[in-house]
Amino acid sequence: RAAANSDTAHMQQDDYRERLAHDVAKWRGDGIITEPQERAILARIGEGEPRLIGALRIGWLVTAISVIGAVTLAAGVVLLFASNWEQMPDWFRTALMLVAMLAAYAVGYALMYRLDMQRVGSAFLLLGALLYEAGVFLLAQIYNMPVESPALWLLAAAGVLPLAYLFESRSVLLVAIANATAWVIAEMVNRYPDSPESESALIVVGAFGVALYAVGRLHTLRRWTERFSDVYVF
């Protein structure tokens, strides 16, 4: 437990440093602070290590590239499965999706908590979440479930949301929220396909957005959930 708390504190400290380094760069660009002041602040949070300061500066870029890579890899895996889907037996298709998803989670966990590669590890966790979501729809075909059912979006959200908190991954949480939002929209469209009922369904979608914002504000009341608040608010 002590090791887990230490890892969590380390991740939160890295997040704080990255956000501050990003803000300082913006303040320098807006002319709020001078270049010597920017260097002094970065040296302070980086404890005077130029290499660490440089890593903080490119942290957001590395995160963006990692996320794009995870999405691209997930799309490639899904296309590979889909192109050979009909030739595979049912048991093999099910096992293949499970193995691919669990492998992505295992690699992500090892990178984050064993090798301290937070951004790349988070990307693999995102890959696992995307593969799970794809598996929900692909496996629905095997067991003759209606692929257009809104319940599949809800199932995808329910399967991803706990992992976001377990691994403290905001990108995975964003996937869960996107799935939940898709479920609300699909449910309303399915229930009220024609006007004017379909137009009034926008009120439900708007209320769901307000609820997400409220949940985000509630997350600021606890330290361990505060890092997720901006995702809900967004």
Side-chain angles (χ1 to χ4, degrees):
R1 179 177 297 178
N5 291 337
S6 176
D7 289 339
T8 300
H10 180 67
M11 292 171 60
Q12 291 175 346
Q13 187 179 29
D14 287 345
D15 287 340
Y16 166 75
R17 288 178 172 180
E18 289 179 10
R19 289 196 301 269
L20 183 57
H22 180 268
D23 291 340
V24 167
K26 186 175 185 301
W27 298 338
R28 172 69 179 90
D30 294 341
I32 299 176
I33 61 176
T34 63
E35 185 175 351
Q37 289 173 327
E38 178 190 19
R39 289 199 303 267
I41 294 174
L42 291 176
R44 178 73 173 178
I45 65 175
E47 299 177 356
E49 300 178 16
R51 183 178 301 178
L52 179 56
I53 294 175
L56 290 172
R57 282 184 172 276
I58 66 172
W60 291 91
L61 177 61
V62 173
T63 300
I65 294 175
S66 299
V67 170
I68 294 173
V71 173
T72 303
L73 184 56
V77 171
V78 172
L79 289 176
L80 178 63
F81 289 169
S83 61
N84 301 279
W85 198 246
E86 297 300 330
Q87 290 75 28
M88 301 178 186
D90 292 349
W91 68 267
F92 185 75
R93 287 186 282 186
T94 304
L96 193 61
M97 291 301 303
L98 289 175
V99 169
M101 178 188 66
L102 294 177
Y105 287 144
V107 172
Y109 178 85
L111 290 173
M112 290 183 66
Y113 296 102
R114 303 298 182 187
L115 302 177
D116 197 25
M117 301 174 64
Q118 303 296 330
R119 299 181 186 88
V120 181
S122 296
F124 272 94
L125 294 178
L126 176 61
L127 173 62
L130 294 175
L131 290 178
Y132 166 78
E133 180 177 354
V136 168
F137 290 91
L138 290 176
L139 294 178
Q141 298 178 354
I142 297 179
Y143 300 103
N144 298 320
M145 293 178 58
V147 181
E148 66 277 2
S149 173
L152 295 180
W153 290 107
L154 181 60
L155 181 62
V160 172
L161 183 62
L163 294 173
Y165 288 92
L166 179 63
F167 293 114
E168 300 184 356
S169 174
R170 285 175 290 187
S171 58
V172 173
L173 177 61
L174 185 61
V175 172
I177 294 176
N179 287 330
T181 305
W183 167 67
V184 172
I185 295 175
E187 186 68 30
M188 291 298 100
V189 172
N190 188 54
R191 287 178 178 269
Y192 308 107
D194 301 321
S195 297
E197 290 85 357
S198 59
E199 296 175 357
S200 62
L202 293 176
I203 299 176
V204 177
V205 178
F208 182 71
V210 173
L212 287 177
Y213 181 86
V215 171
R217 301 306 301 173
L218 289 174
H219 273 60
T220 61
L221 301 179
R222 300 281 184 175
R223 174 172 293 184
W224 75 276
T225 59
E226 186 176 4
R227 68 193 311 266
F228 298 111
S229 63
D230 57 342
V231 181
Y232 284 99
V233 171
F234 169 76

